[in-house]
């Protein structure tokens, strides 16, 4: 948070001395949260994987910590200080958060789907003159 935001919050807190202490500190916490949110973007990167497959992410800096929201769907492990191994364990969605050693965070929205390639091959071999395109229920319609 930059000094300008903190000075503005401090000035507002001093001007609001007549508020009850609980409300005052709620305003301070809200101001700090909003000030920090304005300085740091929290957009998420979208990743798609297949159940039973693994992917390695080359992270741009040294990783301190990794967390996933749904360990039944996604497993994430550091391989080196800058490599993360992702393994799609089950169908669904999970959020992964990666913290660098400098405290920066990166968010990933990960979707794990079925591997439809074997089905697509069977359909193409069985019905070569037909254009049949199976999609999982999570895929958007064309």
């Amino acid at each position: 948070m930059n000094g300008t935001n903190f000075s503005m919050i401090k000035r507002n807190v001093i001007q609001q001395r007549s508020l009850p202490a609980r409300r005052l500190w709620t305003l301070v916490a809200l101001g700090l949260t909003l000030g920090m949110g304005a300085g740091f973007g929290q957009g998420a990167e979208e990743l798609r994987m297949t159940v039973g497959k693994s992917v390695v992410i080359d992270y741009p800096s040294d990783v301190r910590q990794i967390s996933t929201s749904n360990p039944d769907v996604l497993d994430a492990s550091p391989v080196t200080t800058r490599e993360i191994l992702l393994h799609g364990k089950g169908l669904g969605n999970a959020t992964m958060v990666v913290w660098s050693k400098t405290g920066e965070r990166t968010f990933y929205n990960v979707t794990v789907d079925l591997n439809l390639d074997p089905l697509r091959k069977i359909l193409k071999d069985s019905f070569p003159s037909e254009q049949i395109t199976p999609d999982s229920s999570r895929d958007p319609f064309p």
Side-chain angles (χ1 to χ4, degrees):
M1 175 170 41
N2 64 36
T4 305
N5 287 341
F6 185 72
S7 296
M8 187 173 65
I9 293 167
K10 185 177 174 184
R11 193 173 329 114
N12 288 339
V13 168
I14 291 170
Q15 291 172 355
Q16 300 294 328
R17 283 187 185 166
S18 62
L19 292 173
R22 178 182 234 173
R23 188 168 171 204
L24 178 64
W25 288 113
T26 302
L27 289 172
V28 171
L30 179 62
L32 290 173
T33 301
L34 292 174
M36 292 169 97
F40 301 103
Q42 302 247 342
E45 294 188 37
E46 301 289 330
L47 297 176
R48 290 186 79 102
M49 5 184 356
T50 303
V51 172
K53 301 290 183 178
S54 296
V55 174
V56 175
I57 294 177
D58 292 317
Y59 200 70
S61 60
D62 289 348
V63 173
R64 177 182 54 124
Q65 183 178 350
I66 304 167
S67 177
T68 61
S69 65
N70 193 342
D72 294 333
V73 171
L74 181 68
D75 183 44
S77 310
V79 179
T80 67
T81 58
R82 292 190 177 207
E83 290 181 323
I84 302 166
L85 176 65
L86 300 181
H87 179 71
K89 293 172 61 178
L91 295 176
N93 298 304
T95 300
M96 178 177 70
V97 183
V98 180
W99 287 267
S100 71
K101 288 189 177 179
T102 61
E104 295 175 28
R105 293 176 298 207
T106 304
F107 292 81
Y108 297 88
N109 291 327
V110 184
T111 301
V112 181
D113 286 322
L114 287 173
N115 182 0
L116 296 177
D117 289 341
L119 176 60
R120 288 182 181 117
K121 183 177 179 347
I122 290 170
L123 289 171
K124 185 172 177 128
D125 292 345
S126 300
F127 306 99
S129 61
E130 299 293 324
Q131 279 195 300
I132 303 171
T133 308
D135 290 315
S136 72
S137 62
R138 298 182 202 290
D139 287 342
F141 290 103

